[in-house]
Amino acid sequence: MNCPACALQLEAITVGEITVDVCTHGCGGVWFDQFELKKVDEPNESAGEILLNIDIEKTNSPDPSQRRMCPKCEDIIMMRHFFSVKREVEVDECPNCGGFWLDYGELASIRTQFESEDDRKKAANAYFEDIFGTELKRMQNDSDQQLGKAQKIANMFRFVCPSSYIPGKQKWGAF
């Protein structure tokens, strides 16, 4: 595979239980196949420390504003988005295979954001509560009011049409 940032050949490096592809002779970027990044994104995951000290060519620094093609999938442009709710590190993710491309230094930044996955989830919950909490509570109140109205209407129909009434099956009338 070729580096999506500087087009040099990526080198496979085994880190703990995973094998990642690293641009060792160029920009220092790292390709993670789907679910591999989760195994090295926290500071307590010692396997990822090897990837923090990659020697790079100082003259070969790619343009971070350039859109990147997935090194694994042909003709697929990766999506750029923030890795976490802290909005500090932008990563490139392939919408087809789910792999991640991290430029040099991004893994180190990601590893300093949260101590654990639990901390990351708490921060995400707090962020979404801050952004959507008021609106979701209003929608919940509206839904509760609509439910109350629907229950009142259902109770009125139960009174008008008792459950013993089956249309056309009563001996006592045509109804």
Side-chain angles (χ1 to χ4, degrees), residues 100-115:
F100 281 92
W101 175 259
L102 300 184
D103 291 322
Y104 182 79
E106 289 179 343
L107 180 60
S109 297
I110 287 171
R111 287 172 58 97
T112 61
Q113 288 186 343
F114 299 102
E115 286 295 317

Side-chain angles (χ1 to χ4, degrees), residues 2-23:
N2 289 334
C3 175
C6 65
L8 295 176
Q9 183 70 27
L10 297 176
E11 181 181 328
I13 296 177
T14 301
V15 178
E17 300 174 2
I18 62 172
T19 300
V20 296
D21 298 291
V22 182
C23 188

